[in-house]
Amino acid sequence: MQNEIINILKREEKFSENTLEEISAVEINDFADIIKEVGQQETEYLSRTEILDNLNTKTIGKEIYIFNEVMSTNTVGKFLSENGVENGTVILSEKQSGAKGRLGKHWESPLGGIWLSLIVKPKVDHSKIPMITLATGVAVVKTLERIGIKNAEIKWPNDVMIN
C-alpha cells in the first residue's frame, strides 16, 4: 500500500525524488490528508464537481476522490477507509496500472473506462459481505438497463463490462 501512495505523489510532482525517499521511511498514515487533497482535484476526463452536482445521494458518492492514475482504486480505497473516510466513499481513477483480480491476477485498466472502488462499512454479519459485492454488480447492470444501456454484463464477481 505504501508504494501506491508514493506513486500517486510522484505522478503529482509535488515532491522531489529525495523527499519521496524520505517519505518512504515515514509512517504512511501521515499521508491521508495529502491523498485526500490530491483526490479532490479535477482530472482531464473525470469532473468531481460535475459528478457531485448531478448526484442525489445520502450515502453512496457523498464523498468522492478522483485520480489521474493509481495502481488500484481498491488499494487507495483500503488506505482511505483506514484513515477516516465515510461509508459510501467512491474512489475513481482514469487509469489503473497495477490492479489485482481474483486469484492475485495482475491487470491494467486503460484510459477510457470507469475504474472505481466503493467503500462500504455494512453493519451485517461478515459471512454476508460477499453477497453485497454480488448484489452491487446486479444493481449496476439493472440500473444501466433502465437508462438504455442493454449490453452491460457482469464479469465475475463484481466487474461490470459494456461492449
Side-chain angles (χ1 to χ4, degrees), residues 19-36:
T19 302
L20 288 169
E21 287 177 23
E22 292 174 15
I23 287 172
S24 296
V26 176
E27 178 60 37
I28 198 65
N29 293 340
D30 295 338
F31 300 108
D33 289 339
I34 295 170
I35 296 302
K36 288 176 186 177

Side-chain angles (χ1 to χ4, degrees), residues 101 107 137 141 153-161:
W107 54 275
V141 168
E153 54 187 50
I154 297 171
K155 179 179 175 273
W156 185 262
N158 63 345
D159 293 328
V160 176
M161 300 177 67

